Amino acid sequence: MSDSIFKKLAAITVGTALIFAVGETMPVQATELTYNFSNENKTLTGTFSFDEAAANDQEVTIAEGLKIFATYGGQSYTEANDPLASVLTDFSGTILNQAGLGLNFTPSTFNVYRNSFIDLNDSTAAGVQTITYTSVPEPSFMLGLSVFGLSLFLAKKTASSRSSSPKA
């Protein structure tokens, strides 16, 4: 039994060493930050993304790589519909709800100004709603979580099959 523990410990040590070795030889890649956004009644939904490095001055513009895709009233909108669109973040690219940060995007029919959505064709109170932002995890982060979860599952399955096998 102790032989099995040493094999597992050796495998973990080699795996950890490989992760650090590969991490040091791979060039640092920019982190792409992605956010989903919507108004209260979900008639406006969308996504925007940008490179985290562009947030170093707290404002990310289209010229700095801001990409926007939104749907409202059955119509699709992108950053091409508002060449002055921008996103205000903290210095790390984080957007906290109701903190005065967020998207500034004004195509012809609506306006998203940080925490507020305004339907430009509806002058009633229903035409003004709150915008909510949700961070979308980076794909490599999701892959890492999947691999970690799979390894835990396999380790548990291996342990349960050993405990249920007949003893000689």
Side-chain angles (χ1 to χ4, degrees), residues 84-163:
L84 300 177
S86 65
V87 172
L88 293 177
T89 74
D90 68 5
F91 290 108
S92 68
T94 302
I95 298 171
L96 301 172
N97 284 309
Q98 309 309 313
L101 304 174
L103 182 64
N104 294 322
F105 183 51
T106 307
S108 58
T109 58
F110 65 89
N111 180 347
V112 174
Y113 182 72
R114 301 179 192 175
N115 298 326
S116 299
F117 163 81
I118 302 167
D119 182 334
L120 299 175
N121 297 318
D122 184 352
S123 60
T124 68
V128 178
Q129 297 178 28
T130 301
I131 290 287
T132 303
Y133 298 99
T134 308
S135 178
V136 177
E138 189 179 351
S140 62
F141 176 73
M142 294 304 293
L143 177 64
L145 281 179
S146 299
V147 169
F148 179 70
L150 181 62
S151 66
L152 287 177
F153 173 75
L154 290 175
K156 187 174 183 178
K157 187 144 181 87
T158 303
S160 73
S161 68
R162 285 185 184 160
S163 66

Side-chain angles (χ1 to χ4, degrees), residues 30-37 45-55 59-70 77-80 82 85-89 92-95 102-105 133-139:
T31 302
E32 183 83 6
L33 299 177
T34 303
Y35 285 89
N36 291 329
F37 64 96
T45 58
T47 301
F48 60 87
S49 61
F50 56 91
D51 187 316
E52 182 180 25
E59 182 177 24
V60 181
T61 63
I62 293 171
E64 295 173 305
L66 173 62
K67 299 290 182 205
I68 304 168
F69 181 80
Y77 300 89
T78 68
E79 65 278 356
D82 180 9
S86 65
V87 172
L88 293 177
T89 74
S92 68
T94 302
I95 298 171
L103 182 64
N104 294 322
F105 183 51
Y133 298 99
T134 308
S135 178
V136 177
E138 189 179 351

Side-chain angles (χ1 to χ4, degrees), residues 15-36:
T16 304
L18 283 173
I19 288 170
F20 285 112
V22 170
E24 286 183 20
T25 59
M26 290 178 60
V28 176
Q29 300 220 351
T31 302
E32 183 83 6
L33 299 177
T34 303
Y35 285 89
N36 291 329

